[in-house]
């Protein structure tokens, strides 16, 4: 897949998955830019690549993560 830059995602909403590369990197739009996700640690699970997480959750570009407020400590 060809590399893209931020201008390719004009109009994306915060929390929106922009793309998932073949290398397993997921890019997500935030309110202030683009978050590049390489590894994730889901609750009560082992650490995994962002690509493995996306495949397991059947995430595709366009999916929007929603906020449920701040995490409780």
């Amino acid at each position: 897949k060809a590399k893209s830059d931020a201008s390719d995602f004009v109009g994306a909403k915060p929390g929106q998955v922009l793309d998932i590369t073949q290398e397993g990197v997921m890019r997500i739009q935030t309110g202030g830019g683009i978050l590049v996700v390489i590894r994730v640690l889901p609750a009560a699970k082992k650490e995994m690549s962002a690509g493995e997480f996306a495949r397991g959750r059947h995430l595709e570009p366009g999916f929007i993560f929603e906020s449920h407020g701040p995490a409780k400590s």
Side-chain angles (χ1 to χ4, degrees):
K1 180 176 177 172
K3 294 200 180 243
S4 53
D5 61 37
S7 65
D8 293 336
F9 304 111
V10 172
K13 298 179 177 162
Q16 183 174 346
V17 175
L18 303 174
D19 65 359
I20 304 164
T21 69
Q22 290 189 356
E23 295 82 17
V25 175
M26 184 168 36
R27 293 193 294 173
I28 302 170
Q29 181 68 46
T30 71
I34 296 174
L35 174 66
V36 177
V37 182
I38 298 168
R39 309 274 310 159
V40 297
L41 180 59
K45 303 263 182 177
K46 290 184 179 181
E47 183 177 318
M48 63 186 75
S49 75
E52 290 170 319
F53 177 79
R55 282 189 298 279
R57 298 270 197 267
H58 305 288
L59 301 181
E60 296 181 355
F63 175 86
I64 299 176
F65 287 96
E66 295 186 17
S67 173
H68 297 286
K72 296 180 181 177
S73 46

